Amino acid sequence: MTQSLRGVRPNIVQSIRAFRVSDLQEAAHAAGQHFLYANLGNAQTKQDVLDLIAQQFTFPQHFGKNFDALYDCMTDPLHKSGPQPGFVIVLEQIPANAKFDKEAREQLLDIFRDAADYWGDRKIPFRCFYSFL
């Protein structure tokens, strides 16, 4: 385990705080894990957030662009595609405005918490780091 991920539970969603994106990317690479990054700084609405995540995570064209579809893309198809080495995910600059309020932000993070639980049940590390705009 690299220094950047040492001391970080294997299945967690937490604020990025003192971590740098480049260090997390290097740690994921060194651990042989998937690194997924989405910069949501240009998003204003739930639809914007979902569009940017889908684009930056390279989801399939048929992505439903709702929270249920987001959860599905983060779990089942990946599990069915074979053994997974683990995940380090960064959601940077999640909007904090009237169109994407606290409830919407919590719903988004809950999707990633549920995905962390899903992968944790399968003994696959899933770490998600986030920041707000």
Side-chain angles (χ1 to χ4, degrees):
M1 184 66 57
T2 66
Q3 191 64 28
S4 290
L5 296 177
R6 192 176 315 278
V8 178
R9 286 193 309 122
N11 297 87
I12 192 167
V13 176
Q14 71 173 44
S15 172
I16 199 165
R17 287 178 278 160
F19 294 98
R20 293 183 348 183
V21 173
S22 60
D23 291 342
L24 292 170
Q25 184 176 16
E26 286 177 25
H29 180 71
Q33 298 180 2
H34 299 290
F35 178 76
L36 299 171
Y37 173 82
N39 184 319
L40 306 173
N42 292 327
Q44 294 294 313
T45 66
K46 176 182 173 182
Q47 200 59 55
D48 293 344
V49 167
L50 290 168
D51 287 344
L52 285 170
I53 289 173
Q55 176 188 17
Q56 294 177 55
F57 286 9
T58 61
F59 285 167
Q61 289 290 335
H62 66 272
F63 172 63
K65 296 185 182 171
N66 60 54
F67 283 148
D68 289 336
L70 176 59
Y71 174 79
D72 291 344
C73 281
M74 297 306 302
T75 56
D76 198 45
L78 293 170
H79 177 67
K80 289 180 179 174
S81 70
Q84 296 297 324
F87 303 87
V88 176
I89 296 167
V90 175
L91 302 172
E92 197 166 41
Q93 299 184 359
I94 297 172
N97 61 47
K99 292 181 182 178
F100 201 76
D101 61 10
K102 183 178 180 180
E103 182 178 334
R105 290 189 302 275
E106 280 304 310
Q107 288 176 332
L108 175 68
L109 294 175
D110 281 347
I111 295 300
F112 286 90
R113 288 180 188 111
D114 291 346
D117 290 344
Y118 175 92
W119 290 110
D121 290 346
R122 288 151 183 81
K123 308 291 187 244
I124 306 293
F126 183 99
R127 294 174 178 95
C128 179
F129 300 87
Y130 65 88
S131 66
F132 296 126
L133 182 63

